[in-house]
Amino acid sequence: MTGYPLPIRRLIGEFSKFPGIGEKTAARLAAFVLQSSTPDMERLAETILEVKKKITLCRVCYNLAEQDLCDICRDASRDRGIICVVEDTDSLVAIEESGGFKGTYHVLHGVLSPADGIGPEQLHLADLARRVKDDGVREVLVATNPSVQGETTALLIKRLLNEMDVTVTRIALGVPLGGNLKYIDKMTMAKAIEFRRGV
Amino acid sequence: MTGYPLPIRRLIGEFSKFPGIGEKTAARLAAFVLQSSTPDMERLAETILEVKKKITLCRVCYNLAEQDLCDICRDASRDRGIICVVEDTDSLVAIEESGGFKGTYHVLHGVLSPADGIGPEQLHLADLARRVKDDGVREVLVATNPSVQGETTALLIKRLLNEMDVTVTRIALGVPLGGNLKYIDKMTMAKAIEFRRGV
């Protein structure tokens, strides 16, 4: 890519840092930037900065939020008696899109993985226990991915909440083992929520 | 993607406008923006705007340039006696990377296509003729893509320069017919330049 002027080479370099974007694709994206109107690209740059500036984590559930509380925690129609625990916001979005869940969430932003130094502290599990205790939660539905770490995390949550007056359930195995929640179709996701079982 | 906060949905929308980027890939790119540090994303936004602000077309050859003249036209070591005519800057970069050409360029930014309203005026061909006349150019190497339009454009250039004291050559058919210059490997490209023939 040495034949391009420096700013374009720099842009290709920046695009190449994105996951799954190789040098050829980065060059195609940079060519699109070149061809696009300046106002369009100003809007793109602004939108990138807006995401960095405005998006924080909800202080209750750690979902992505534009304010102190996320859209779901601010929604009075959501059932606060049931908390769905997910590994990441992609899983949360997949569950929301299935329409099968009307409670609130707890986003771990990871999964138990001692080898990577991710223990109960990193997953905000103490906050989860506090929510269960303070808010009279009757059910915690663990919707971590159906992987070894996801199952281990589910068992840890079950043990953590053992002494409390709460039912811990696990998303039904309708989602294929080894899969990733964000790629599941909506019907399967809704079924998996409907057939949730005790841990 | 309705489960994401608005700024993220907006960013996914912006990324989806890029060629070859679907909604899933756009969501993955947006997730990368979220995970990246603010300074890194400020640099990305700045680089996008810098490309829009700084990159213009060289007033001599219409290559991408940061100043009045492009890097190649400013390079005193390049042979001004031979001009390589290319359809676009991707072709120029591919030829530069082959190392097989040390002359200057003329970038058409398109190819003869009457159906799309692209005639000789849109391709800066009068400028090419003027360069040949004023700069004592001895050879014009036409390196348009080996497609019907590319060949037609080559013939048009041959006709245009017919009365002038200049040899018009065509890049050798070592590049596969119907192919696109930007995907050719460097060795093939160098061979194709070495075996160029008269039109």
Side-chain angles (χ1 to χ4, degrees), chain A residues 1-30:
Chain A
M1 303 291 150
T2 47
Y4 292 109
L6 186 62
I8 298 178
R9 290 208 304 276
R10 230 171 355 222
L11 184 57
I12 293 173
E14 293 295 334
F15 281 141
S16 300
K17 292 177 189 163
F18 280 77
I21 303 292
E23 208 186 45
K24 288 262 181 204
T25 306
R28 215 181 54 213
L29 300 182

Side-chain angles (χ1 to χ4, degrees), chain A residues 63-64 71 89-98 181-184 186, chain B residues 1-14 16 22-31:
Chain A
N63 183 18
L64 300 172
D71 289 350
T89 53
D90 287 337
S91 298
L92 184 153
V93 168
I95 292 171
E96 282 298 291
E97 290 190 340
S98 82
L181 285 195
K182 68 179 151 181
Y183 302 121
I184 305 298
K186 297 175 188 185
Chain B
M1 303 294 150
T2 48
Y4 292 109
L6 185 62
I8 298 178
R9 291 208 305 276
R10 226 166 4 216
L11 184 57
I12 293 173
E14 293 295 333
S16 300
E23 209 186 44
K24 288 262 180 204
T25 306
R28 213 181 56 213
L29 300 182

Side-chain angles (χ1 to χ4, degrees), chain B residues 81-92:
Chain B
I82 172 165
I83 296 176
C84 178
V85 178
V86 289
E87 290 182 24
D88 49 39
T89 53
D90 288 335
S91 298
L92 184 153

Side-chain angles (χ1 to χ4, degrees), chain A residues 127-192:
Chain A
D127 289 321
L128 176 62
R130 197 176 316 119
R131 284 179 70 188
V132 169
K133 197 167 149 231
D134 295 352
D135 300 351
V137 172
R138 61 184 189 280
E139 179 175 347
V140 169
L141 165 55
V142 184
T144 48
N145 282 319
S147 63
V148 174
Q149 290 104 321
E151 297 294 338
T152 311
T153 307
L155 288 171
L156 176 77
I157 291 170
K158 168 74 176 172
R159 215 169 52 202
L160 177 80
L161 304 176
N162 219 7
E163 307 286 282
M164 295 180 187
D165 185 22
V166 65
T167 310
V168 178
T169 56
R170 180 84 176 98
I171 198 169
L173 265 186
V175 290
L177 267 161
N180 189 310
L181 285 195
K182 68 179 151 181
Y183 302 121
I184 305 298
D185 66 272
K186 297 175 188 185
M187 291 300 294
T188 311
M189 182 63 80
K191 278 282 165 232

Side-chain angles (χ1 to χ4, degrees), chain B residues 160-192:
Chain B
L160 177 81
L161 304 177
N162 219 7
E163 308 286 282
M164 295 181 187
D165 185 23
V166 64
T167 310
V168 178
T169 55
R170 180 86 177 98
I171 198 168
L173 266 186
V175 291
L177 266 162
N180 190 308
L181 286 195
K182 69 180 150 180
Y183 302 121
I184 305 298
D185 67 271
K186 298 176 188 184
M187 290 300 294
T188 310
M189 182 63 80
K191 277 285 164 226

Side-chain angles (χ1 to χ4, degrees), chain A residues 1-12 14-15 17-21 24-25 27-38 40-55 63-66 71-72 89-90 92-93 96-97 182-184, chain B residues 1-12 14-15 17-21 24-25 27-38 40-55 63-66 71-72 89-90 92-93 96-97 182-184:
Chain A
M1 303 291 150
T2 47
Y4 292 109
L6 186 62
I8 298 178
R9 290 208 304 276
R10 230 171 355 222
L11 184 57
I12 293 173
E14 293 295 334
F15 281 141
K17 292 177 189 163
F18 280 77
I21 303 292
K24 288 262 181 204
T25 306
R28 215 181 54 213
L29 300 182
F32 179 78
V33 169
L34 263 175
Q35 288 155 23
S36 299
S37 75
T38 298
D40 279 358
M41 289 303 103
E42 281 169 354
R43 199 177 55 241
L44 169 63
E46 232 165 67
T47 311
I48 290 168
L49 297 177
E50 197 191 13
V51 161
K52 294 313 295 177
K53 205 172 66 185
K54 286 199 183 164
I55 301 296
N63 183 18
L64 300 172
E66 283 185 84
D71 289 350
I72 293 167
T89 53
D90 287 337
L92 184 153
V93 168
E96 282 298 291
E97 290 190 340
K182 68 179 151 181
Y183 302 121
I184 305 298
Chain B
M1 303 294 150
T2 48
Y4 292 109
L6 185 62
I8 298 178
R9 291 208 305 276
R10 226 166 4 216
L11 184 57
I12 293 173
E14 293 295 333
F15 281 141
K17 292 177 189 164
F18 279 77
I21 303 291
K24 288 262 180 204
T25 306
R28 213 181 56 213
L29 300 182
F32 178 78
V33 169
L34 264 173
Q35 289 155 22
S36 299
S37 75
T38 299
D40 279 357
M41 289 303 105
E42 282 169 353
R43 200 178 51 241
L44 169 63
E46 233 163 66
T47 310
I48 290 169
L49 297 178
E50 197 190 13
V51 162
K52 295 311 296 176
K53 206 172 66 186
K54 286 200 184 163
I55 301 296
N63 183 18
L64 300 171
E66 282 185 83
D71 288 351
I72 293 168
T89 53
D90 288 335
L92 184 153
V93 168
E96 281 298 291
E97 290 189 341
K182 69 180 150 180
Y183 302 121
I184 305 298

